Amino acid sequence: MSKQHVLSVLAAVMVTLAVSVFTLGQTTTTTVTKTVQNPDGTYTVIEYPAKKEVMVNLNPVTITGAKGVATILRDDDGTKIKLNLTNVPADVTALTLYAVDDTGAVTALGPVAITNGTGTFSAATPLSKFMLVASPEPALTAYDPNTKVFFRSGVPEGFAVVPLTSASGEKVAAVSTTGSTPATASRVPMLNIPAYKKGDDTKIKVDFAGALTGARANVFITPRKGGPTEVKMRFHELKEAPAGQKYILWAVSPDNTYSKLGQIVNAPGRNEAEIKSETTLPDFGLMVTMESAEGESPQGPTVGTIHIVP
């Protein structure tokens, strides 16, 4: 066999191998198919990809002819939601948009005003896994298949539903009652207070959602050796709470013990406020909820979460 012939055979083998490797690489691609948790679509939580805009249809549930579309973008600052509703029946003039996460916890994103059958709304949330529901009820604390909703988000093609992590069967969320642990508790990040050192700066970020979307706040935490920790929170560009509601700041321990640090009630024309308090909890997280009644633990939706910036 001549040298030229041998080289030709080797070249053919290399081309064949290259094609085989390319083909193998193509066939290892995994396709995620569209699925739903419940046959009737009552539970459609999905995880949104980072830095990719996703269009989600909001399907009408108890009304006909209406249409809803949400544009959702998750980035380093949280998840931004833009909602458009059209052809809404004339007798529907206001809805509230909620996010339901994979634990079944309900977070109010804010009210949607509807004029001439059309409504637009923008909100932000720290959540990355959720479904959207629009309800005529202004203060939902739980969601299940019997909850009164007019719109519910569908599942875009190519996405899979995230399984429930704290419910079973058709039950999606439990209503919080006195003495129970609210669904929001497990999502409160601890601030690792014992690690704070005098003279060190710790960056803390506040994420507002729902009725407080667009507000800003500064948080100052001062631990004292052998004494309580001082917590001061200054609100800027404060949004007025809906009628009959108030904003409450809570300290939450790792075992879900709650300590009410203060509250803000409506005051016409006021867009700044300050809460200054102390807690004896050795470590804690901070959260702001919107409440309609006094209580020893939060029962309303979470509208602010505080966490350390890594």
Side-chain angles (χ1 to χ4, degrees):
M1 184 180 292
S2 67
K3 180 177 180 181
Q4 183 176 2
H5 183 67
V6 171
L7 290 174
S8 298
V9 172
L10 288 174
V13 171
M14 290 178 68
V15 169
T16 302
L17 286 174
V19 172
S20 297
V21 171
F22 175 77
T23 304
L24 180 62
Q26 293 292 94
T27 57
T28 55
T29 302
T30 301
T31 301
V32 179
T33 58
K34 178 178 177 180
T35 59
V36 292
Q37 183 73 12
N38 292 338
D40 60 357
T42 53
Y43 176 68
T44 57
V45 171
I46 65 173
E47 181 172 12
Y48 290 93
K51 300 181 180 179
K52 180 181 178 181
E53 191 172 82
V54 178
M55 300 287 290
V56 178
N57 289 323
L58 268 72
N59 302 317
V61 179
T62 54
I63 53 178
T64 58
K67 295 181 180 179
V69 177
T71 302
I72 299 174
L73 177 62
R74 176 184 161 206
D75 57 25
D76 296 337
D77 295 324
T79 304
K80 298 177 178 63
I81 301 166
K82 293 182 179 179
L83 175 69
N84 284 280
L85 301 177
T86 56
N87 298 330
V88 180
D91 59 340
V92 179
T93 58
L95 294 171
T96 300
L97 187 67
Y98 298 90
V100 183
D101 72 7
D102 57 326
T103 70
V106 176
T107 300
L109 299 177
V112 183
I114 299 172
T115 304
N116 297 324
T118 301
T120 59
F121 177 72
S122 296
T125 176
L127 297 173
S128 61
K129 305 175 187 178
F130 57 90
M131 68 185 253
L132 294 172
V133 295
S135 172
E137 303 295 335
L140 287 181
T141 58
Y143 170 83
D144 63 39
N146 298 316
T147 301
K148 186 177 182 180
V149 298
F150 284 175
F151 290 91
R152 181 171 48 239
S153 58
V155 181
E157 196 68 39
F159 283 79
V161 169
V162 178
L164 279 172
T165 59
S166 63
S168 59
E170 292 292 309
K171 190 176 181 63
V172 175
V175 178
S176 295
T177 58
T178 303
S180 66
T181 300
T184 51
S186 61
R187 301 204 314 272
V188 181
M190 294 298 104
L191 297 176
N192 196 17
I193 303 301
Y196 283 32
K197 295 180 180 178
K198 187 176 181 179
D200 286 353
D201 289 330
T202 300
K203 293 183 178 179
I204 296 176
K205 183 179 179 182
V206 183
D207 290 320
F208 287 122
L212 274 179
T213 299
R216 297 183 299 108
N218 301 107
V219 180
F220 304 89
I221 299 175
T222 308
R224 296 191 185 95
K225 188 175 182 179
T229 297
E230 180 184 277
V231 178
K232 184 164 59 176
M233 190 166 181
R234 292 177 181 166
F235 294 82
H236 309 278
E237 299 179 33
L238 188 64
K239 309 297 181 179
E240 186 172 323
Q245 306 285 316
K246 51 196 169 188
Y247 302 123
I248 296 181
L249 176 64
W250 305 87
V252 188
S253 74
D255 64 351
N256 294 331
T257 298
Y258 293 89
S259 175
K260 181 179 175 181
L261 299 181
Q263 67 183 42
I264 299 171
V265 295
N266 286 339
R270 182 178 68 177
N271 60 7
E272 294 191 359
E274 180 178 285
I275 293 176
K276 185 176 180 180
S277 187
E278 295 180 336
T279 177
T280 57
L281 294 172
D283 191 17
F284 56 87
L286 293 172
M287 64 186 292
V288 181
T289 64
M290 187 170 66
E291 306 288 342
S292 59
E294 298 287 344
E296 297 301 317
S297 63
Q299 304 296 318
T302 302
V303 292
T305 54
I306 294 88
H307 56 87
I308 296 174
V309 177

